[in-house]
Amino acid sequence: MTDYDHDFYNPAPEPARTAVLAVPHPAPLNPRGIIITCAACHAARDWLLIHVQPDLVFVRCRCAHEWREHDLETADVTAARSDTGDEREWASFEDMYRGLRFDGLLRYTYLG
């Protein structure tokens, strides 16, 4: 055996990427007839809806507060997606939050 036989390149498999869909949603959310508000800043509109496969839906506020919203479903995010039509891929969640202005910098600012 040569040294070359021991040093062959065996790359590790790439980790599976989590499928995430993030859609800005400027309007209020009221899935059960009650308007959703941010527990941190009390905002009532201008959200980022985040769908993480398979069935997790999160809501993020401009103040950077984020929570899992059990009253929203994949269909709600998909419906909001058809309103925007803009799609991008991000290297990380932090880049996505910063790029979409949901990183806390515009806290207490409504854009919609």
Side-chain angles (χ1 to χ4, degrees), residues 66-97:
E66 183 176 310
W67 66 95
R68 181 172 178 199
E69 185 54 62
H70 296 279
D71 291 332
L72 293 176
E73 299 176 351
T74 303
D76 298 310
V77 181
T78 303
R81 178 185 191 188
S82 64
D83 293 340
T84 64
D86 183 24
E87 292 188 21
R88 282 198 246 176
E89 221 174 276
W90 304 94
S92 68
F93 278 97
E94 291 76 23
D95 288 348
M96 177 182 66
Y97 296 145

Side-chain angles (χ1 to χ4, degrees), residues 38 40-43 46 61-64 104-111:
C38 175
C41 73
H42 307 290
D46 201 16
C61 182
R62 292 264 178 212
C63 76
L105 182 64
L106 298 175
R107 174 179 333 215
Y108 307 117
T109 303
Y110 285 117
L111 299 179

Side-chain angles (χ1 to χ4, degrees), residues 5 7 11 13 15 17 19 26-27 34 38 45 55 59-60 66-68 73 78 80 87 93 97 102-103:
D5 293 334
D7 295 329
R17 294 180 70 184
I34 301 170
C38 175
R45 61 185 175 96
D55 295 320
V59 175
R60 187 172 178 97
E66 183 176 310
W67 66 95
R68 181 172 178 199
E73 299 176 351
T78 303
E87 292 188 21
F93 278 97
Y97 296 145
F102 280 88
D103 59 349

Side-chain angles (χ1 to χ4, degrees), residues 25-61:
H25 184 73
L29 293 168
N30 56 352
R32 291 189 305 147
I34 301 170
I35 293 181
I36 293 174
T37 58
C38 175
C41 73
H42 307 290
R45 61 185 175 96
D46 201 16
W47 309 111
L48 183 63
L49 303 180
I50 304 165
H51 174 230
V52 181
Q53 298 290 349
D55 295 320
L56 301 175
V57 176
F58 294 84
V59 175
R60 187 172 178 97
C61 182

